[in-house]
Amino acid sequence: MQSRKDLANAIRALSMDAVQKAKSGHPGAPMGMADIAEVLWNDYLSHNPANPDWANRDRFVLSNGHGSMLVYSLLHLSGYDLAIDDLKNFRQLHSRTPGHPEYGYTPGVETTTGPLGQGIANAVGFALAEKTLAAQFNRDGHSIVDHYTYAFLGDGCLMEGISHEISSLAGTLGLGKLIFFYDDNGISIDGDVKGWFTDDTAKRFEAYGWQVISAVDGHDADAVRAAIEAGRANTDQPTLICCRTIIGFGAPNKQGTESCHGAPLGEEEIELARENLGWTHGPFEVPAEIYAGWDAREKGATAEQQWEQRFAGYEKAHPELAAEFRRRMAGDLPADFAGLADDYIRACQDKGESIASRKASQNILNAYGPMLPELLGGSADLAGSNLTIWSDSKGVSRDDAGGNYIYYGVREFGMAAIMNGLALHGGLIPYGATFLIFMEYCRNAVRMAALMKQRSIMVFTHDSIGLGEDGPTHQPVEQMASLRTTPNMSVWRPADTVESAVAWKAALERKDGPTALIFSRQALPHQDRDDDQLANVARGAYILSDSKGAPDLILIATGSEVALAQDAAHALRENGHRVRVVSMPSTDVFDAQPAKYRQKVLPLDVTNRVAIEAGIEDYWHKYVGLDGRIVGMSSFGESAPAGDLFKTFGFTVDNVVSVAQDLLEG
C-alpha cells in the first residue's frame, strides 16, 4: 500500500520532468496542488477512465490551466488513454498534452482553460446543468442525474472580474454540488501577491452566499479530506475550500517563489527535489505499485455499471423520460424538428410580416421552443429588449431549478462563459442575449465557444447605429467583423422574419460550433421570395432580386440594409442599369458553399459590386474587391434618432445610387 505522499509525489515528478523536457511550462501549481488532487481523485471523484463521456461522472476543472501537467498526470496515472509518451511530448506540435488543457485533445479534459477565471465559470455552468437536469429528469426513487463539479483555481482566477460575476450567481442559485479549491499560495507571475491582491477572499465568498472553509493545510491529506466532506455535506450552498499551499512544493531552492511558477526548474533543482521528496526514480519513471495505487479503471467501471443499473430501473418506470434523456445527452434534436421548422419558415414567408428581427426572434422561440425542451435561455438583464423570453419560459431558481430560463443579471462575460459549461455538460442547448455592443464584454468566452466547438447560441440585438439615441457607446460598429473573422464562429444577420427563422434553425442544428444571431431594434420590411429563393436562404447568401440578363452591378447587403439595397436597385433599374441584389445573412455559411453556387450568386466577371451594411466597411472588401465600393461605417456613431443617423452616415437610397453610379461610370 503506497502512502499518500508517494502517490502525490508521482504528480510532482511527472510535472517536473515534462516541463523540463519541453523547456517551458508551469511546474509550480502541479507541485503545490498535488496533495489536494490526490485526495480528491482517489477518494471522491466519480469517473470512469474507460468512458470519459459517462453522463453521470463528476466534472473536474483545472481553472488555473497553466498548471496543465497536473491534470495530465492525473489522467495518465488513473488510467485514461494518455500514455507516458504523451507526457513526454508535452507542449509539442499536435500532441495530446498541449500547453493548456484543450477540450477535444485529451480524453478526460472537460473544458479548455487558460484565460484565468473562465474555467471556474465553466464549472458553474456544469453545476447549473446538473441541478437543472436533475430537476427536469429525476423522479422519486430515481436519481439519474446526481454528480459533483470540482474546480481548482488560483489567485489569478480570483483577481479576474469574471470570478465575481459567476460566483455571485452560483451563490444566488444555491449550486450546492459545486466545490472550488482555492490554491492560496500567495504567488503569481510577478511575485508575492500581497502587493496587489489583499482581498478578504473568505468574506467575499460568504457575501455571495457560499460555504467557506478557510485555512486548510493543502499538504495535509486529513485536513483536505475533512474539508471535502464538509463541502459535500452542504448541498444548499456552493463551497470554497481555501487551501494554504507552497508553490513548487519539494523544490528546495525555488518552492514558495515566483521562480517556479512559469519556467522549468532546471536539472540541478529537479535532482534536489527528487532527493527532498524521497522520489528515487528516474525521469518519467513511475513504479508499478504507484500506478496500482492510482488506477481508477475498476472502480470507475463499477460506478458506471451501478449507474446503468439505476438507469435501467428508471427506464422501466419512466420510459419516455429515459428516451428523452438519452436523446438530449447525445446532442440530437427531435426527429421531427427539421420538418416542423421548415413548415414554420414557409408560414413566415406566406404571412409576410414586417417587424423588428428581435421580435421575429421571440416569435421563433415561441414556435421552436415547445419542440425543444433542451433549450435553456437567458439574458444579461436585457430580456425586455432582447426579447428572449417566450410564452413557456420559466426561470431557474435556487428552489426550483427545473425551468428553462436563466436571469443572468448584468453579467455578460459570466453569462457567455457559463453557457460554455452548460453546452459542454450536455443535455442542454444554451442561448444567451445582450446588445451587440456588449459582445465586447463577453468576447473571450465567445471565442472559447468557437475554439471548443460548442453549440452555444449568442443572441445579439440592437445591431447598428439604428439603436439611435443611446449614442456611440451603445452603437456597434466593428463587432460584426470581429465575430465573422473568429474561426469556427457562425454569424447570421437576417433581413426579415424569414431569414431570422432560417438563422435560428441553422444555429440549433449546428453541433460543431457556436452561432451569433444578430437582430435589429427597428422594424424590417418583409421580402418577397419564390421557392428557390426561400430554399437558398439557408446557403448564407442568395439572389433576392435581379434584372433580366446578366447584371452590370451587384448590391450585397445584410440585415436592415437589405431593404435599402432593394430600394436603391429599383431606382438604378429605372435609370437603365441591370442590378442584382444579393442578401447575405451569413458570410461564413455562404463561403462554405460549393464554388459553382458562389459564382452563380456572385459571378466572377461582374466586378461592379457595392456592399451595404451599417458596420465597419473594411470587412466587405473580400466580396467587392479593391475596386468595389462599400456603404458602411468608418467611424463611431452619434446620439440621435435612428433615421437621422442613417441619413448622416449615408444609408439612404440617394447615396447608394450615387455610389453605384460613380462605380459604373468609373
Side-chain angles (χ1 to χ4, degrees):
M1 182 70 176
Q2 295 301 303
S3 71
R4 287 193 178 278
K5 284 295 181 185
D6 288 336
L7 296 175
N9 285 340
I11 296 173
R12 295 185 172 102
L14 289 172
S15 299
M16 290 189 300
D17 293 340
V19 172
Q20 187 65 34
K21 187 174 186 299
K23 296 183 174 59
S24 71
H26 299 74
M31 296 175 73
M33 299 192 80
D35 296 307
I36 306 167
E38 188 279 322
V39 174
L40 175 63
W41 277 62
N42 283 325
D43 292 3
Y44 293 98
L45 195 73
S46 180
H47 63 118
N48 183 5
N51 182 13
D53 297 324
W54 171 34
N56 200 49
R57 68 191 181 278
D58 289 341
R59 271 65 171 179
F60 173 78
V61 176
L62 181 68
S63 187
N64 44 342
H66 52 269
S68 55
M69 270 310 303
L70 174 61
V71 72
Y72 298 149
S73 299
L74 289 164
L75 293 169
H76 168 72
L77 291 166
S78 60
Y80 284 78
D81 180 21
L82 195 68
I84 194 70
D85 285 344
D86 291 313
L87 272 60
K88 292 178 181 178
N89 208 26
F90 178 55
R91 283 182 163 236
Q92 304 310 301
L93 183 63
H94 303 314
S95 80
R96 304 173 81 200
T97 51
H100 289 80
E102 301 278 355
Y103 176 79
Y105 282 62
T106 316
V109 167
E110 299 283 5
T111 182
T112 299
T113 56
L116 293 178
Q118 285 202 65
I120 52 174
N122 297 161
V124 171
F126 286 136
L128 180 55
E130 191 277 340
K131 184 167 183 171
T132 299
L133 290 170
Q136 292 178 356
F137 283 99
N138 290 352
R139 295 295 182 267
D140 289 344
H142 299 280
S143 294
I144 61 161
V145 182
D146 182 15
H147 59 79
Y148 284 84
T149 299
Y150 302 99
F152 283 8
L153 63 145
D155 292 299
C157 289
L158 291 177
M159 284 186 248
E160 291 285 359
I162 192 174
S163 68
H164 162 72
E165 295 183 26
I166 58 98
S167 300
S168 171
L169 186 60
T172 297
L173 294 176
L175 302 182
K177 291 185 177 178
L178 175 66
I179 299 177
F180 284 179
F181 294 83
Y182 168 31
D183 181 27
D184 185 12
N185 60 38
I187 297 294
S188 67
I189 292 175
D190 284 348
D192 191 328
V193 300
K194 289 180 181 177
W196 50 87
F197 184 55
T198 58
D199 301 11
D200 189 326
T201 299
K203 287 183 179 178
R204 173 183 161 191
F205 274 77
E206 286 170 358
Y208 295 148
W210 287 55
Q211 172 182 228
V212 178
I213 302 172
S214 299
V216 175
D217 183 345
H219 302 298
D220 181 336
D222 290 337
V224 172
R225 185 179 172 85
I228 296 173
E229 288 286 346
R232 288 167 58 93
N234 183 352
T235 57
D236 294 326
Q237 296 173 288
T239 296
L240 176 71
I241 301 174
C242 301
C243 299
R244 290 294 301 175
T245 64
I246 299 172
I247 190 171
F249 182 92
N253 299 307
K254 294 189 176 183
Q255 67 178 17
T257 70
E258 65 272 19
S259 61
C260 67
H261 173 90
L265 296 178
E267 298 289 356
E268 182 177 345
E269 184 72 3
I270 287 175
E271 287 305 312
L272 292 173
R274 279 187 158 82
E275 182 180 345
N276 192 35
L277 294 168
W279 186 262
T280 59
H281 317 289
F284 296 103
E285 288 182 8
V286 179
E289 57 270 24
I290 295 291
Y291 276 122
W294 272 104
D295 194 342
R297 286 172 291 191
E298 182 178 348
K299 183 169 62 174
T302 299
E304 182 173 359
Q305 183 180 34
Q306 291 173 345
W307 179 82
E308 288 287 358
Q309 291 172 351
R310 295 199 305 274
F311 191 87
Y314 176 79
E315 192 169 30
K316 185 175 181 180
H318 305 283
E320 292 183 0
L321 277 174
E324 178 72 1
F325 181 79
R326 290 198 186 278
R327 175 189 74 78
R328 287 173 56 174
M329 290 304 294
D332 297 330
L333 297 179
D336 60 353
F337 172 75
L340 292 172
D342 286 340
D343 290 344
Y344 179 77
I345 292 166
R346 164 57 65 185
C348 289
Q349 183 62 48
D350 292 341
K351 187 176 182 180
E353 194 171 22
S354 296
I355 56 176
S357 53
R358 61 170 174 156
K359 179 59 181 175
S361 172
Q362 185 178 50
N363 293 343
I364 293 158
L365 285 169
N366 276 303
Y368 294 174
M371 312 178 209
L372 301 170
E374 58 264 53
L375 271 184
L376 185 60
S379 172
D381 201 49
L382 287 169
S385 294
N386 300 144
L387 301 184
T388 45
I389 292 178
W390 54 286
S391 58
D392 288 338
S393 290
K394 176 187 174 184
V396 173
S397 67
R398 169 189 290 271
D399 298 323
D400 184 0
N404 59 5
Y405 195 85
I406 301 167
Y407 291 92
Y408 284 104
V410 187
R411 301 182 177 99
E412 294 90 352
F413 192 7
M415 173 182 70
I418 288 171
M419 287 167 59
N420 288 342
L422 293 168
L424 286 159
H425 181 281
L428 299 163
I429 300 177
Y431 69 90
T434 185
F435 290 173
L436 177 57
I437 190 67
F438 300 133
M439 183 276 289
E440 301 293 348
Y441 282 177
C442 54
R443 178 73 181 90
N444 198 255
V446 172
R447 181 180 186 270
M448 295 294 283
L451 184 65
M452 294 189 286
K453 301 179 180 179
Q454 291 304 297
R455 180 164 47 183
S456 180
I457 301 174
M458 297 302 305
V459 177
F460 294 124
T461 69
H462 297 62
D463 64 349
S464 71
I465 57 173
L467 179 67
E469 292 87 346
D470 279 340
T473 62
H474 282 52
Q475 293 166 8
V477 172
E478 72 276 25
Q479 284 68 32
M480 284 186 286
S482 176
L483 288 165
R484 287 173 177 145
T485 55
T486 300
N488 198 42
M489 171 63 66
S490 190
V491 181
W492 287 79
R493 187 181 184 231
D496 65 0
T497 296
V498 173
E499 290 188 2
S500 299
V502 173
W504 260 109
K505 179 174 182 280
L508 291 162
E509 290 180 335
R510 185 174 192 233
K511 297 177 71 172
D512 61 352
T515 302
L517 301 176
I518 299 176
F519 297 124
S520 71
R521 177 194 188 191
Q522 70 274 26
L524 305 181
H526 169 75
Q527 301 296 327
D528 292 329
R529 299 172 184 85
D530 60 26
D531 289 345
D532 286 342
Q533 290 170 317
L534 185 61
N536 286 334
V537 174
R539 305 186 79 163
Y542 62 101
I543 302 168
L544 181 60
S545 68
D546 218 351
S547 300
K548 291 182 179 180
D552 55 24
L553 173 71
I554 299 176
L555 302 180
I556 308 168
T558 78
S560 54
E561 286 70 68
V562 168
L564 172 59
Q566 288 279 65
D567 291 341
H570 177 73
L572 287 162
R573 289 169 190 147
E574 287 190 334
N575 289 336
H577 297 294
R578 297 187 305 277
V579 184
R580 170 175 295 180
V581 174
V582 171
S583 177
M584 192 178 285
S586 178
T587 59
D588 60 278
V589 173
F590 176 68
D591 290 347
Q593 299 303 307
K596 184 177 180 180
Y597 178 77
R598 286 185 279 117
Q599 291 169 20
K600 178 183 177 182
V601 176
L602 298 175
L604 296 177
D605 59 349
V606 183
T607 58
N608 291 323
R609 302 179 183 184
V610 179
I612 313 164
E613 185 178 68
I616 199 71
E617 60 186 27
D618 289 352
Y619 176 82
W620 287 98
H621 284 292
K622 68 182 289 187
Y623 297 106
V624 303
L626 295 177
D627 295 326
R629 300 288 190 273
I630 302 164
V631 177
M633 297 292 294
S634 58
S635 68
F636 296 115
E638 295 286 349
S639 178
D644 293 343
L645 292 172
F646 282 127
K647 186 180 300 183
T648 298
F649 288 100
F651 296 98
T652 65
V653 171
D654 287 345
N655 186 55
V656 173
V657 168
S658 175
V659 170
Q661 287 179 332
D662 180 67
L663 176 63
L664 290 165
E665 293 167 3

